[in-house]
Amino acid sequence: MIKYKHSTFLLQFVKRQKADNKTIGFVPTMGALHAGHISLIKKAKEMCDIVVCSIFVNPTQFNNKEDLEKYPRTLDKDLQLLQEAACDIVFIPTVKEMYPKGLNETFEAPLKGSITNVLEGEHRPGHFEGMMQVVSKLLDKVQPTHLFMGLKDYQQLTIVKHMLKAQKRSVVLVPIEIMREKHGLAMSSRNERLKKEARLKADFIYKTLLWVKENKQKYANKDLEKKATEMLKKHTKEDVEYCSIVNADTLLPTDSKENTIVLTALWYGGVRLIDNMIL
Ligand code: AMP
């Protein structure tokens, strides 16, 4: 596995590979890697000749300074996992490399409107602008043929899909299923911050989403949302920020039963967790 800190050398390498008609799969991450991330690497290995993974905790997508500081950083273990998964290239840029003009540099978001303002956008103002900024920069630096992203961050994936179109990029976006722990909790770097007991008990989130899926024809969407929120609130004394059933493309509320998804964000054991399920 080759490690790059500077994009100049990385891009030279990528360009040589592309000149030889090789496909380049790219997996952007913020590190603290787990089996969910590795499933993206594995799919990229299956589909592409060369796999590039980036590890960069992007400051501009954190609307909360404490959250950024507390974000787990486990570089040695990450490198070991990537090596074991036969990842070809790891790109570990510094903040200076990504933001040479400083973190306040101007960024004209390629996408505005409801899709970025609802759900996570409403609860984490500025998050998606920062995410679009870093994904745009990373795509410029890596220039992959394929981009692999997880359905765990469904709204992020949807926004990136629209952003690629708006920016007229030719990269193929490949969505990857949510990887869950044995009892159902969606794998997340943030789970590291849960105490062992809370981590086991957090399966109530998955169970509630499953309940919504199994009962989707029984109740109107608004009633389903209400019942699911009550179920979640029985298990956590902390905030349930949202539990919403929306159209899977527009992410707007709908009365329809076609093409819907349930998404939730809540606090449990002092950690903000998100999950979703296509209905
Ligand atoms: P992150 O490091 O949290 O920014 O995640 C990097 C990529 O891994 C994103 O595309 C995530 O959607 C994806 N990912 C994170 N957790 C999971 C999971 N449990 N299953 C599948 N993909 C995931």
Side-chain angles (χ1 to χ4, degrees):
M1 185 167 71
I2 315 173
K3 270 185 260 172
Y4 287 104
K5 285 200 167 157
H6 301 287
S7 56
T8 329
F9 303 121
L10 167 64
L11 195 52
Q12 279 169 7
F13 174 87
V14 167
K15 283 189 170 161
R16 278 201 305 274
Q17 299 298 323
K18 282 166 97 176
D20 278 348
N21 280 328
K22 298 259 169 67
T23 50
I24 313 289
F26 178 42
V27 181
T29 79
M30 297 207 297
L33 302 184
H34 49 68
H37 296 111
I38 299 305
S39 70
L40 274 67
I41 302 283
K42 287 193 176 146
K43 189 69 191 173
K45 285 291 291 182
E46 267 172 49
M47 287 180 64
C48 297
D49 298 312
I50 302 285
V51 176
V52 181
C53 174
S54 65
I55 298 178
F56 180 64
V57 183
N58 174 38
T60 69
Q61 72 189 69
F62 284 81
N63 55 318
N64 176 331
K65 209 169 157 233
E66 197 190 330
D67 192 24
L68 171 63
E69 277 159 15
K70 278 191 180 168
Y71 200 83
R73 288 161 172 89
T74 57
L75 186 61
D76 289 344
K77 188 177 151 219
D78 294 350
L79 294 176
Q80 196 185 328
L81 286 174
L82 290 175
Q83 183 94 48
E84 283 164 15
C87 178
D88 301 289
I89 310 284
V90 57
F91 177 43
I92 317 168
T94 58
V95 172
K96 186 102 184 112
E97 165 87 22
M98 294 302 287
Y99 297 98
K101 293 186 197 138
L103 292 175
N104 292 324
E105 70 173 38
T106 48
F107 172 68
E108 185 56 38
L111 205 69
K112 292 189 178 98
S114 62
I115 210 158
T116 59
N117 295 333
V118 294
L119 306 166
E120 288 297 284
E122 189 182 333
H123 292 271
R124 300 182 68 190
H127 167 64
F128 287 128
E129 285 72 20
M131 181 280 289
M132 286 190 276
Q133 182 180 28
V134 78
V135 173
S136 298
K137 279 173 181 279
L138 286 168
L139 289 174
D140 290 342
K141 288 179 187 293
V142 180
Q143 299 191 14
T145 54
H146 294 69
L147 171 63
F148 295 81
M149 295 187 88
L151 285 157
K152 159 84 177 14
D153 300 277
Y154 186 86
Q155 189 172 8
Q156 167 174 284
L157 184 74
T158 308
I159 290 172
V160 168
K161 185 166 84 182
H162 288 281
M163 183 186 91
L164 297 179
K165 214 168 158 196
Q167 294 177 330
K168 300 191 172 67
R169 291 189 193 262
S170 57
V171 60
V172 178
L173 178 62
V174 185
I176 305 292
E177 286 299 321
I178 302 177
M179 190 86 154
R180 297 181 179 279
E181 295 190 9
K182 239 192 350 249
H183 53 285
L185 176 65
M187 287 184 179
S188 164
S189 306
R190 287 167 201 272
N191 295 356
E192 296 295 318
R193 281 164 42 199
L194 284 173
K195 296 229 168 71
K196 201 174 163 199
E197 200 192 333
R199 195 161 169 163
L200 286 172
K201 284 188 177 166
D203 63 344
F204 71 89
I205 307 169
Y206 175 63
K207 287 185 177 146
T208 305
L209 299 182
L210 259 186
W211 180 88
V212 172
K213 190 176 168 113
E214 282 159 6
N215 290 278
K216 79 167 199 179
Q217 299 297 350
K218 243 190 186 164
Y219 305 100
N221 290 347
K222 278 279 151 250
D223 295 331
L224 268 176
E225 279 180 4
K226 233 189 248 166
K227 284 180 192 294
T229 306
E230 278 163 19
M231 287 166 75
L232 294 171
K233 280 186 173 163
K234 270 194 193 140
H235 288 90
T236 179
K237 291 185 185 70
E238 297 155 73
D239 195 19
V240 175
E241 291 186 358
Y242 62 83
C243 177
S244 306
I245 297 169
V246 296
N247 176 280
D249 296 317
T250 63
L251 303 186
L252 293 175
T254 174
D255 294 330
S256 167
K257 297 289 175 188
E258 298 299 315
N259 192 29
T260 52
I261 179 166
V262 56
L263 303 104
T264 188
L266 56 82
W267 288 80
Y268 186 64
V271 181
R272 187 176 187 275
L273 300 171
I274 60 168
D275 201 349
N276 69 76
M277 193 174 286
I278 293 168
L279 299 177

